[in-house]
Amino acid sequence: QVQLVESGGGLVQAGGSLRLSCAASGRTFSNYYIGWFRQAPDKEREFVAGIKWSSGVTAYTDSVKGRFTISRDNAKNTVYLQLNSLKPEDTAVYYCAARRSSSNRIRMLPSEYDYWGQGTQVTVSS
């Protein structure tokens, strides 16, 4: 059974930084890709960034390009999301999710992911 555990959220001022972690267990993840999503109050869950574990191919939503960076540490079975230049509109619960696929195409719909973590809150004050 795949397990995903997020950590690293918190309260930060606008312009600040955080690093989120997604610790994955229960599988060999070479044929998986990991996505980060976020959900703000009264809004739908949206794709933020994704990475193909084996190839390192990445994808980002436009609003975070140049500010957020997704990466993975194979030895630790962990995917990171570095959040820089944070804005109040980045405030949300951030989730990591996993999908098994041999393709390098990173899916961006929540319904396309099979496993989810419990989420970590990121709050950016103005």
Side-chain angles (χ1 to χ4, degrees), residues 70-84:
I70 190 170
S71 62
R72 86 265 194 240
D73 184 326
N74 291 334
K76 295 183 178 180
N77 251 21
T78 299
V79 172
Y80 301 100
L81 186 66
Q82 179 68 40
L83 316 178
N84 295 331

Side-chain angles (χ1 to χ4, degrees), residues 49-71:
I51 187 167
K52 181 66 190 289
W53 201 290
S54 57
S55 66
V57 170
T58 60
Y60 298 89
T61 192
D62 286 346
S63 64
V64 307
K65 285 180 181 176
R67 300 190 299 124
F68 293 5
T69 303
I70 190 170
S71 62

Side-chain angles (χ1 to χ4, degrees), residues 3-67:
Q3 289 189 323
L4 304 171
V5 179
E6 303 97 332
S7 61
L11 173 63
V12 64
Q13 289 188 332
S17 298
L18 286 172
R19 189 177 79 159
L20 307 184
S21 300
C22 173
S25 62
R27 288 285 192 277
T28 300
F29 288 92
S30 56
N31 283 331
Y32 280 74
Y33 53 84
I34 303 295
W36 280 99
F37 291 78
R38 65 186 179 187
Q39 188 165 18
D42 299 324
K43 291 191 175 181
E44 293 187 352
R45 193 168 296 189
E46 65 170 351
F47 176 84
V48 176
I51 187 167
K52 181 66 190 289
W53 201 290
S54 57
S55 66
V57 170
T58 60
Y60 298 89
T61 192
D62 286 346
S63 64
V64 307
K65 285 180 181 176
R67 300 190 299 124

Side-chain angles (χ1 to χ4, degrees), residues 73-118:
D73 184 326
N74 291 334
K76 295 183 178 180
N77 251 21
T78 299
V79 172
Y80 301 100
L81 186 66
Q82 179 68 40
L83 316 178
N84 295 331
S85 303
L86 281 161
K87 305 175 181 180
E89 51 264 43
D90 295 316
T91 295
V93 178
Y94 283 70
Y95 299 89
C96 66
R99 174 189 169 93
R100 189 175 188 276
S101 175
S102 59
S103 169
N104 271 333
R105 177 189 168 202
I106 296 174
R107 306 298 177 114
M108 297 185 181
L109 294 177
S111 60
E112 296 177 302
Y113 285 74
D114 303 311
Y115 306 98
W116 291 85
Q118 82 288 350

